[in-house]
Amino acid sequence: MASEPPPSRAAAEDTGTVQQSTVKTTERTYPFVSRREIEALISEGRHIIIVDQYVLKVDPWVKYHPGGDKAIKHMIGRDATDEVNGLHSPEARAQMNRYRVGRIEGRWKNFLPPIQGGKFRPRGEGGEEWEEESPETRSRAANYDADTSFGSSSSVESESSRTPSPAPSPVFDGESAPESNQLRARTNARSKSAVSRSDSFTSISSVGDEKADAKSVDDGPRDGMAHLDALTRQEIRLDLDKYPPLDEETQDTVIRKYRQLHERIKAEGLYDCNYVAYAIEGFRYTLLFTGCLLFLKWGWYVPSAFCLGSFWHQLVFTAHDAGHMGITHHFHVDTVIGIVIADFIGGLSLGWWKRNHNVHHIITNSPEHDPDIEHLPFFAISHRFFTNLRSTYYDRVLEYDIFAKFFVSLQHYLYYIVMLFARLNLYRLSWEYIFKGQAPKHGPAWWHRHLELAGQVFFWYWFGYGIMYKAIDGNWNRFVFFMVSHAVTSPLHVQITLSHFAMSTSDLGPHESFPQRMLRTTMDVDCPEWLDFFHGGLQFQAIHHLYPRIPRHNLRKTQKLVQEFCNDVGIPYALYGFVEGNKHVIGRLADVARQAAILKKCQQTIVDGSIGHSHAH
């Protein structure tokens, strides 16, 4: 953390706290801060978050945050306790105390952050507190007004679209369940099932009590936006039916038991790294790279490229561990390990990954906010992408243009082909991060960018010059080597997208608890233990999203505890086999492509009708 002095008492008083009662702690005395005062501070552009009942004003830290500013902006006005505890070491959390300026009384009711479209009353302004429309209300609404219709833009900071963000959600009911009950069955708090599965992606039009909307979806209304609205209402209803209610008592119970599970995991030593497992990993990496060099020396370029691609594929898992401080649990040590692997050996930026990945962990599967599902023009996993929505991560509109319409219409056929070249996009994103100055320039991570620059130079020297130019004869052989080595890493990109592409993208509002959102938007992959090396921990993404700092070699041991937790609180735990999971992803892509075709037909019908109407006159 940055070596900034803790805010003075005068600074705390300058926040305008209006309540006189105080709470005494072992460190200092903090005034209570009213909800209205916090709202006014946010309206003035302050970065206010709530952690462990304390009010933190983190404005001085935003530009220094190693995980980027976006992650903090998504927590403004929210109780960020679980997100902060999940993604930060105890030492980092302790240093956050310097930004405390007050305390709150009782349970905190989350605001919608400005970056997500939240509105805040300035100091002295009366009127009702603005609150985002509840998902229950949205699911019953026949039409949306201008503020909540598709394509609107009303973010305070980034002009993000504040539309309800629905999308089909796979169902994890037993294979033998009747179709009419599959989509409506939701495990409640007294459920006996720890793990529930889905036999297939089921069309939303099969919901029996939603025949009107289903007919609209299948037949296609004349108004394309009405078609999208019908999809929105259905997807929200499906999630509301399947997952625990969003009332305070239910969500508080989920949070309380989630935190109890954290303590149990810690007590059982599952946060402790298994260094013997990393020794075995290191032996595997050495074999693969040695094979690459030997085959290269013998002129066997394809086997050499295969070994190099497999080497990169395996190394990424350890870089991921280091990025989450899951190896030594020391920020700088793990960061250096990650940069050596990602930048020096793999040519990818660890800093870019952190900035991207932290947002992904906080606002998982949100079409407007999560960069890990924003892949236009190649993929759209929600009909929300048909509306030229604005990405708050990239700060630009994701155009649903002629190229996107073409690729989306074929996305379920092109999925694996695009995955073959996905690593090339990671190079581009890494260079943008490093050369456009997105990395922190001050604070504890100021030197990371310089180390990454050195890493990029080193990588392109040993790979681009040493191997591609010096060690391989002929341009055709160089081309084949490059393509094969990069295509071999494609299973990694399939694994990454597999965990989320088939899951819910619905927006259930700011009052959904962190653990429920993570489990609603993330799936795990069932595989035998001997195949864990191939998946590298990515098969336990739901568990990883709940507790990101658990070392991946302990995730399998944690799985049973998470299953018990899901059973206890009534949240379905999504678990698929690898092949089955791939079928669900392809099914999701095909379903969205079908929705795009219906929308196109609706729009063409409107155009044809307008032309016919003009000719009639």
Side-chain angles (χ1 to χ4, degrees):
M1 308 291 283
S3 57
E4 300 208 12
S8 65
R9 182 174 181 81
E13 291 171 354
D14 285 343
T15 61
T17 52
V18 297
Q19 308 241 2
Q20 299 300 315
S21 54
T22 58
V23 172
K24 188 122 181 185
T25 71
T26 56
E27 299 176 352
R28 56 174 291 183
T29 300
Y30 293 95
F32 279 117
V33 185
S34 70
R35 180 177 180 83
R36 181 67 186 90
E37 179 60 27
I38 290 174
E39 182 184 10
L41 287 169
I42 296 173
S43 76
E44 296 167 0
R46 303 291 187 180
H47 294 74
I48 305 295
I49 64 174
I50 310 299
V51 178
D52 291 324
Q53 296 294 107
Y54 287 97
V55 179
L56 275 62
K57 185 163 74 70
V58 296
D59 298 75
W61 178 240
V62 172
K63 61 183 179 180
Y64 300 144
H65 185 222
D69 60 330
K70 302 287 186 180
I72 293 177
K73 290 180 182 295
H74 281 291
M75 288 291 99
I76 293 176
R78 295 176 58 96
D79 185 338
T81 301
D82 293 320
E83 289 86 345
V84 166
N85 289 339
L87 292 166
H88 296 82
S89 67
E91 293 76 18
R93 295 198 301 274
Q95 292 189 58
M96 291 180 192
N97 295 348
R98 70 183 67 185
Y99 299 108
R100 290 177 177 176
V101 295
R103 286 203 61 164
I104 60 169
E105 288 186 291
R107 183 188 191 279
W108 179 254
K109 185 178 181 181
N110 288 331
F111 287 114
L112 188 72
I115 194 172
Q116 297 178 24
K119 300 176 182 178
F120 297 83
R121 295 171 296 171
R123 195 184 310 277
E125 181 178 304
E128 297 271 333
E129 175 185 314
W130 179 86
E131 185 173 358
E132 186 194 31
E133 194 176 43
S134 71
E136 292 90 344
T137 301
R138 279 187 265 146
S139 70
R140 291 192 299 267
N143 295 291
Y144 297 111
D145 61 22
D147 286 337
T148 56
S149 64
F150 282 93
S152 65
S153 177
S154 57
S155 172
V156 172
E157 292 184 297
S158 302
E159 298 178 320
S160 68
S161 168
R162 220 177 40 66
T163 62
S165 55
S169 173
V171 185
F172 319 117
D173 298 306
E175 295 183 3
S176 60
E179 183 179 352
S180 61
N181 294 331
Q182 277 190 331
L183 289 173
R184 296 192 56 79
R186 174 179 60 81
T187 310
N188 58 33
R190 293 166 294 284
S191 171
K192 297 293 191 293
S193 173
V195 184
S196 47
R197 304 168 184 261
S198 174
D199 55 334
S200 67
F201 182 88
T202 310
S203 170
I204 54 179
S205 62
S206 63
V207 182
D209 64 347
E210 296 166 0
K211 293 181 180 177
D213 279 348
K215 186 176 188 304
S216 172
V217 170
D218 287 339
D219 297 340
R222 290 179 60 85
D223 183 350
M225 287 304 165
H227 167 67
L228 296 184
D229 287 349
L231 288 173
T232 296
R233 294 193 295 274
Q234 289 187 18
E235 306 318 329
I236 291 175
R237 275 199 294 267
L238 290 177
D239 277 359
L240 291 173
D241 281 346
K242 179 151 31 84
Y243 292 90
L246 300 178
D247 61 272
E248 292 182 2
E249 182 180 358
T250 300
Q251 293 302 304
D252 285 351
T253 299
V254 171
I255 292 171
R256 175 171 52 82
K257 293 186 176 182
Y258 165 75
R259 294 175 182 176
Q260 289 173 352
L261 178 56
H262 162 70
E263 294 300 326
R264 182 179 175 186
I265 290 170
K266 188 165 60 173
E268 295 190 13
L270 295 176
Y271 280 107
D272 299 333
C273 184
N274 182 356
Y275 293 108
V276 174
Y278 277 109
I280 297 173
E281 299 274 352
F283 178 71
R284 185 185 306 118
Y285 303 157
T286 303
L287 282 179
L288 289 171
F289 194 66
T290 301
C292 167
L293 296 179
L294 281 175
F295 288 129
L296 188 65
K297 181 179 179 181
W298 298 335
W300 297 6
Y301 297 133
V302 171
S304 176
F306 181 87
C307 288
L308 181 59
S310 300
F311 175 65
W312 284 336
H313 172 267
Q314 290 289 298
L315 271 178
V316 165
F317 303 139
T318 300
H320 179 264
D321 298 341
H324 280 293
M325 291 183 293
I327 300 177
T328 69
H329 306 300
H330 186 281
F331 173 64
H332 289 299
V333 174
D334 278 358
T335 296
V336 170
I337 292 173
I339 290 177
V340 168
I341 293 172
D343 291 87
F344 283 76
I345 302 177
L348 307 177
S349 167
L350 185 78
W352 158 77
W353 176 85
K354 282 189 177 185
R355 185 175 188 263
N356 177 289
H357 202 63
N358 283 350
V359 174
H360 165 67
H361 267 272
I362 287 172
I363 193 72
T364 308
N365 262 27
S366 169
E368 296 152 313
H369 312 299
D370 182 0
D372 273 16
I373 64 168
E374 295 178 341
H375 299 301
L376 283 180
F378 298 106
F379 299 125
I381 67 166
S382 166
H383 60 270
R384 293 290 309 283
F385 289 103
F386 303 161
T387 62
N388 295 328
L389 61 79
R390 184 178 182 83
S391 166
T392 61
Y393 180 82
Y394 293 111
D395 287 326
R396 62 179 173 84
V397 173
L398 302 177
E399 297 283 354
Y400 186 60
D401 54 20
I402 187 172
F403 299 104
K405 290 174 182 177
F406 171 77
F407 284 112
V408 169
S409 69
L410 301 172
Q411 61 182 357
H412 46 303
Y413 300 115
L414 298 175
Y415 173 67
Y416 294 110
I417 297 174
V418 173
M419 291 296 104
L420 292 174
F421 307 101
R423 190 176 183 90
L424 302 180
N425 186 51
L426 302 189
Y427 290 142
R428 178 185 67 84
L429 293 170
S430 296
W431 296 336
E432 282 187 0
Y433 174 82
I434 294 174
F435 296 112
K436 287 188 175 181
Q438 296 175 354
K441 298 179 178 62
H442 305 282
W446 69 268
W447 53 274
H448 294 176
R449 177 173 176 267
H450 302 286
L451 185 59
E452 290 203 273
L453 279 169
Q456 291 293 314
V457 172
F458 180 83
F459 171 79
W460 288 107
Y461 177 79
W462 77 259
F463 173 68
Y465 177 75
I467 290 183
M468 292 294 297
Y469 180 72
K470 293 288 289 182
I472 300 176
D473 296 326
N475 289 334
W476 174 251
N477 288 332
R478 291 177 182 128
F479 173 77
V480 170
F481 186 94
F482 183 89
M483 296 305 293
V484 171
S485 63
H486 285 70
V488 168
T489 66
S490 62
L492 169 68
H493 307 291
V494 172
Q495 290 165 317
I496 292 171
T497 57
L498 181 64
S499 302
H500 301 289
F501 269 26
M503 299 299 290
S504 172
T505 57
S506 298
D507 177 11
L508 297 190
H511 307 308
E512 183 180 29
S513 63
F514 171 74
Q516 179 164 316
R517 182 182 182 96
M518 295 303 102
L519 290 165
R520 183 171 60 83
T521 56
T522 312
M523 75 157 74
D524 278 352
V525 175
D526 195 14
C527 74
E529 189 171 354
W530 65 269
L531 257 182
D532 283 353
F533 82 94
F534 177 76
H535 293 282
L538 297 183
Q539 75 273 37
F540 299 117
Q541 277 294 283
I543 302 168
H544 170 67
H545 269 253
L546 289 174
Y547 303 102
R549 292 183 301 106
I550 295 179
R552 64 181 158 105
H553 302 105
N554 294 337
L555 290 174
R556 183 172 288 277
K557 296 177 183 177
T558 310
Q559 185 181 43
K560 183 179 179 181
L561 302 181
V562 170
Q563 290 173 345
E564 293 174 357
F565 163 75
C566 291
N567 177 54
D568 191 18
V569 300
I571 299 177
Y573 173 56
L575 182 66
Y576 298 90
F578 184 72
V579 173
E580 183 186 16
N582 274 267
K583 289 180 179 178
H584 281 284
V585 169
I586 298 301
R588 163 60 64 83
L589 295 174
D591 192 75
V592 175
R594 182 180 65 87
Q595 294 166 7
I598 293 174
L599 178 62
K600 181 179 179 180
K601 182 179 178 181
C602 295
Q603 293 170 334
Q604 187 61 48
T605 300
I606 294 172
V607 170
D608 292 344
S610 299
I611 293 174
H613 183 73
S614 353
H615 288 169
H617 286 78

